Amino acid sequence: MYIAGLEINPPIMNASGIFSYSDILKNFDGVLGALVGKSVSLKEKHGYETPVIYRPARDLLMNAMGLPNPGAEAYATELAEFSFSVPFIVSLVGETPEEFAECVDIFERIAPPDAYELNVSCPHPKGNEGIEMIYQNKVADVTRAVKAHTHKPVIEKLSAVPQIGRIAYQAVEAGADAISAINTVPGLSLRNGRYELSNRAGGISGPAIKPIGLKAVMEIRQAVGVPVIGMGGIETAADVRDYMHAGADAVALGTVFCGMDTETAKQYLENLRRELYE
Amino acid sequence: MSDKRIPCSVQILDRTDELIRLRCRGDIEAPKPGQFYMLWNDVSENPFSAADFSSRYETRLDIVAKRVGDDNSFTAHLFQLKDGDEIFVRGPYGKGFLDARARENETAYMIGGGCGIPPLMYLELLLALTRQPNVFMIGARNKDELNFYGADAQHVSTEDGSAGRRGIVTDLFDDVTPDQDSIFYICGPEKMMVAAAERAEQYTDPSNIVLLVERYMKCAVGLAGCCRIRGPEQNAYRVCVDGPAFTYDKLKGGDLGCYKIEPSGLRTKL
Ligand SMILES: Cc1cc2nc3c(=O)[nH]c(=O)nc-3n(C[C@H](O)[C@H](O)[C@H](O)COP(=O)(O)O)c2cc1C
């Protein structure tokens, strides 16, 4: 699979926010077809107080991390120590088009990645970011700002909002080279009067959201011609095929790694690849 | 492993100004020595090693906590708990001492410092059951701290000399005679673990030395990434799923004793 000439083989990557840092991702170099970083902002963020994660049922993970990250400069400095045999995709999050552009400048100066993913979809941001970009109609502006500062492929990360096809179309019109979807689905984990995440509201991931992801991918596929990276609840080779059937060209995996140690995760990915491509 | 939060009724077993020993009664799954649980109270959620566990008459987990932070901190809240109060527990998580390395027929040297003593006492119980010969070496600031842990060890050191040898736990190596087949289990403050591992390495291979690593944790299931620790190569382990028990060969020459990770994910010098 190619995104604006960038080969991703196998077309399986990690979802942003899982494995997150260059040194953890180093374990999966060559095991995944591309490595995706944690969403990074201009300034360092500590994220929400714990609990930031809870799994009330086997197929349902809730999280509200609060986009913790060391900030673009520190993240890029760490990334610069590494070299990978597969593409490294930097994920960016911000409140304004200018902030996204400034982050791109920092990465291009310190550790130019192979592509950027723009997180305009985190459903539980602390500030005016993430899904606020969609709500405030800033997706096209953000995309244009980033494209003006880099020639690298740009992937727009969307969530399952109504009329997601239209948002995808706007992103592509503004220069996006691919669409990835979906981000987590907003939810509230409340039991016996206790909020189970410190932020109260969080995002749902895992097998429970697969039908939502499939529908979103189908709508995006119908609206745009660029490659689509499907995600949301993928665990098995059959799940991957379902996403491909709905229109995805590649897939990303997140919650499936919940509780897996590094060796188990590598083994799982080898098996998945074998099942899909041999 | 269960990710469900189990409601537990707490009992305060012992308390000093600084340390507290809590018993959590509830439908908790049994830990292997060195595994940990996430405890959730009205403030936040944090990891604790199992200090003791039994399901003989009732299911109960004991943990030992040290007071850190201000009056609004997680541990300060633990000190305010009263018998019968509710707390939530999920786990057990991670790899225990014996998952990292077990050598049933060799002498196990257990080396514990301060808060690192209780998880080793739980290991000692298990080794006693399987009749594995073991030598317990512990160090604390003073006799009161040792009494709090209730540890009964062959080799004891205190910083003030109020019990056992005056000095630090690594001094106790002068009193023991491990050989190249011995297995070492080390738990305590990071600098102490590094010092003890370096001493143990004079006798045996680093793969026979097991350390229980403590890192800031948010999720305990390998997703947050903030408990990453680099080994000698560039790649990092996640302490919550790849550890917390590691053999020394995996960590030697990496972040251990040198780098830690901030809640933002920033890697900084210790
Ligand atoms: C713990 C956690 C952290 C996440 N962090 C990010 C993030 O930083 N940026 C982002 O775009 N998506 C983030 N996501 C969303 C995932 O990338 C993915 O879109 C979502 O989890 C659905 O896939 P899954 O069901 O396979 O997990 C996060 C998800 C989880 C569970």
Side-chain angles (χ1 to χ4, degrees):
Chain A
M1 193 278 258
Y2 291 86
I3 297 175
L6 180 70
E7 186 179 16
I8 297 181
N9 181 26
I12 300 173
M13 50 189 104
N14 64 296
S16 177
I18 280 79
F19 302 148
S20 295
Y21 302 98
S22 330
D23 50 11
I24 301 176
L25 286 164
K26 187 73 189 164
N27 294 298
F28 301 96
D29 188 9
V31 183
L32 290 161
L35 307 170
V36 185
K38 174 82 194 159
S39 293
V40 173
S41 51
L42 196 51
K43 295 266 169 345
E44 179 182 11
K45 281 178 197 267
H46 287 260
Y48 295 126
E49 178 62 90
T50 55
V52 290
I53 244 172
Y54 187 52
R55 195 184 192 182
R58 159 73 184 73
D59 286 351
L60 186 72
L61 185 84
M62 305 273 313
N63 95 81
M65 305 292 301
L67 294 165
N69 77 87
E73 178 114 18
Y75 191 93
T77 305
E78 198 175 345
L79 176 60
E81 295 172 42
F82 288 79
S83 69
F84 299 102
S85 66
V86 298
F88 192 97
I89 300 169
V90 161
S91 168
L92 299 178
V93 66
E95 300 199 0
T96 61
E98 294 73 32
E99 237 177 84
F100 275 88
E102 220 175 308
C103 288
V104 169
D105 289 346
I106 289 169
F107 276 97
E108 290 298 319
R109 178 164 51 84
I110 301 173
D114 298 292
Y116 291 94
E117 183 174 75
L118 311 184
N119 174 358
V120 294
S121 48
C122 173
H124 40 78
K126 206 168 195 160
N128 227 344
E129 61 203 337
I131 202 160
E132 289 298 326
M133 297 294 111
I134 294 180
Y135 294 156
Q136 297 173 18
N137 236 331
K138 289 187 189 161
V139 171
D141 290 347
V142 163
T143 314
R144 266 192 292 270
V146 169
K147 288 298 280 188
H149 286 247
T150 180
H151 298 295
K152 308 276 168 59
V154 169
I155 303 162
E156 207 83 23
K157 170 105 178 247
L158 302 179
S159 49
V161 292
Q163 305 203 18
I164 190 174
R166 252 183 52 194
I167 313 274
Y169 182 80
Q170 287 168 10
V172 172
E173 283 286 284
D177 300 286
I179 306 287
S180 59
I182 57 175
N183 211 313
T184 54
V185 175
L188 187 66
S189 192
L190 175 61
R191 191 177 55 162
N192 298 333
R194 280 181 77 106
Y195 295 96
E196 296 185 293
L197 298 172
S198 78
N199 185 54
R200 301 190 169 186
I204 307 169
S205 60
I209 68 167
K210 184 184 157 196
I212 304 173
L214 286 173
K215 167 94 173 354
V217 164
M218 189 180 73
E219 281 184 51
I220 295 164
R221 176 77 295 150
Q222 286 164 354
V224 298
V226 298
V228 177
I229 303 159
M231 71 190 94
I234 295 175
E235 289 195 338
T236 65
D239 294 332
V240 174
R241 289 193 201 98
D242 290 342
Y243 266 93
M244 300 287 190
H245 195 91
D249 304 280
V251 293
L253 309 176
T255 303
V256 67
F257 297 114
C258 181
M260 277 191 207
D261 64 35
T262 303
E263 284 315 309
T264 308
K266 280 160 78 171
Q267 195 57 53
Y268 159 82
L269 285 165
E270 294 289 355
N271 292 344
L272 184 68
R273 186 214 290 242
R274 207 170 304 126
E275 226 183 298
L276 283 167
Y277 302 107
E278 278 172 23
Chain B
M1 181 257 282
S2 163
D3 291 322
K4 273 239 147 73
R5 289 197 179 113
I6 310 294
C8 294
S9 159
V10 298
Q11 182 188 353
I12 316 299
L13 294 181
D14 200 359
R15 172 163 44 193
T16 68
D17 286 343
E18 246 207 309
L19 294 164
I20 189 164
R21 192 181 183 90
L22 278 183
R23 175 158 291 177
C24 307
R25 289 193 175 82
D27 192 17
I28 303 172
E29 202 176 300
K32 293 185 267 187
Q35 283 193 305
F36 68 96
Y37 294 85
M38 294 297 277
L39 260 67
W40 181 44
N41 63 19
D42 291 333
V43 178
S44 60
E45 189 175 46
N46 283 283
F48 287 91
S49 291
D52 195 17
F53 181 89
S54 169
S55 54
R56 191 155 8 176
Y57 303 110
E58 54 177 0
T59 304
R60 56 173 176 77
L61 166 76
D62 292 358
I63 63 111
V64 170
K66 194 179 190 141
R67 194 181 190 122
V68 285
D70 61 21
D71 287 350
N72 299 317
S73 72
F74 177 88
T75 48
H77 180 271
L78 290 185
F79 277 74
Q80 290 154 19
L81 287 172
K82 296 181 299 298
D83 287 356
D85 281 352
E86 190 173 49
I87 198 162
F88 292 83
V89 175
R90 62 180 170 104
Y93 290 115
K95 307 244 185 301
F97 292 109
L98 302 174
D99 297 320
R101 183 104 164 102
R103 304 195 81 185
E104 289 95 7
N105 301 317
E106 306 299 339
T107 303
Y109 286 81
M110 296 179 291
I111 304 153
C115 263
I117 295 171
L120 287 171
M121 291 169 66
Y122 184 52
L123 173 66
E124 189 194 25
L125 277 179
L126 203 87
L127 296 185
L129 277 178
T130 58
R131 295 175 193 276
Q132 180 167 354
N134 66 72
V135 177
F136 204 1
M137 301 149 67
I138 58 177
R141 276 202 313 248
N142 53 46
K143 192 175 173 180
D144 288 345
E145 191 186 349
L146 280 176
N147 286 342
F148 178 87
Y149 298 126
D152 180 19
Q154 295 100 314
H155 303 278
V156 172
S157 71
T158 50
E159 282 167 27
D160 66 358
S162 54
R165 184 196 258 259
R166 182 194 199 103
I168 55 174
V169 69
T170 40
D171 297 336
L172 299 172
F173 272 91
D174 297 344
D175 307 334
V176 296
T177 51
D179 61 40
Q180 61 183 34
D181 293 319
S182 302
I183 172 112
F184 293 84
Y185 296 106
I186 304 173
C187 187
E190 195 150 316
K191 295 258 190 263
M192 170 247 138
M193 288 203 290
V194 174
E198 281 170 358
R199 285 299 296 266
E201 220 186 340
Q202 295 171 1
Y203 301 96
T204 189
D205 190 79
S207 65
N208 288 327
I209 304 168
V210 178
L211 315 178
L212 200 71
V213 176
E214 190 179 334
R215 277 291 185 274
Y216 179 72
M217 273 181 205
K218 288 184 181 179
C219 76
V221 289
L223 297 180
C226 60
C227 63
R228 64 196 167 113
I229 185 169
R230 286 193 200 172
E233 311 293 332
Q234 270 190 318
N235 58 303
Y237 301 100
R238 287 159 294 148
V239 171
C240 67
V241 286
D242 293 319
F246 290 96
T247 50
Y248 188 44
D249 55 324
K250 288 186 171 171
L251 300 178
K252 194 184 165 191
D255 281 357
L256 186 77
C258 309
Y259 283 90
K260 63 170 178 145
I261 309 295
E262 303 287 340
S264 67
L266 183 69
R267 181 168 167 269
T268 54
K269 281 220 157 67
L270 258 182

